[in-house]
Amino acid sequence: MMMTMETETPADLVEVPVIDLVHPLPGFPEDDRFALVRLDDEGLLFGFRSLGGSGLEFVVVPPAPFHPGYAPVVGDDVVGDLQIDDVDEVLVLAVVRAGSSLADTTINLRAPIVLNLVTQRACQVILDDPDLPIAAPLVG
């Protein structure tokens, strides 16, 4: 059974103390524990910071405010790995690539980070959908 992930941000999400990645991010095998830290008052920008001492940090955003209707479908393996029981307990985040201006800034819709807010387990999911861009404009 595949599961469609909602991409709304829970209004009360401020910070998740520690997130355990069930699979390391591609290219960063040593970084498996992260903190999700709110970077703005609106809850649109988050820092995804490694706790492993590498200094690795990504800026991530919930895609829904920028790409309404975005609802990635993940497989049973992801649902099982993250111990997802209810889609309402899931936060989907897109990695931001900062451009020289806001108009040049993009997000990766092909490889979202899926986070179970209850278990605090997460993974980056590479979606098998060629219609989803790796560099979608943040703003249109």
Side-chain angles (χ1 to χ4, degrees), residues 10-22:
D12 60 347
L13 179 67
V14 175
E15 188 171 320
V16 175
V18 177
I19 298 166
D20 292 309
L21 293 182
V22 296

Side-chain angles (χ1 to χ4, degrees), residues 7-128:
T7 59
E8 296 297 321
T9 305
D12 60 347
L13 179 67
V14 175
E15 188 171 320
V16 175
V18 177
I19 298 166
D20 292 309
L21 293 182
V22 296
H23 307 288
L25 296 171
F28 305 100
E30 303 300 318
D31 294 287
D32 61 355
R33 301 190 87 195
F34 284 78
L36 184 66
V37 181
R38 182 180 275 188
L39 299 177
D40 68 345
D41 291 335
E42 293 79 30
L44 294 178
L45 292 173
F46 294 89
F48 193 65
R49 297 179 184 161
S50 174
L51 300 175
S54 68
L56 181 66
E57 180 174 1
F58 298 96
V59 174
V60 295
V61 297
F66 307 100
H67 291 271
Y70 176 72
V73 177
V74 301
D76 292 341
D77 56 334
V78 174
V79 173
D81 286 349
L82 299 183
Q83 302 170 343
I84 297 171
D85 293 324
D86 185 345
V87 73
D88 292 333
E89 301 170 349
V90 173
L91 176 62
V92 175
L93 298 166
V95 177
V96 174
R97 186 195 60 80
S100 58
S101 69
L102 190 56
D104 294 333
T105 299
T106 62
I107 60 175
N108 186 340
L109 296 179
R110 175 104 41 103
I113 295 171
V114 178
L115 167 61
N116 182 330
L117 294 167
V118 174
T119 64
Q120 297 176 350
R121 295 166 59 97
C123 67
Q124 186 173 33
V125 180
I126 310 300
L127 301 171
D128 188 26

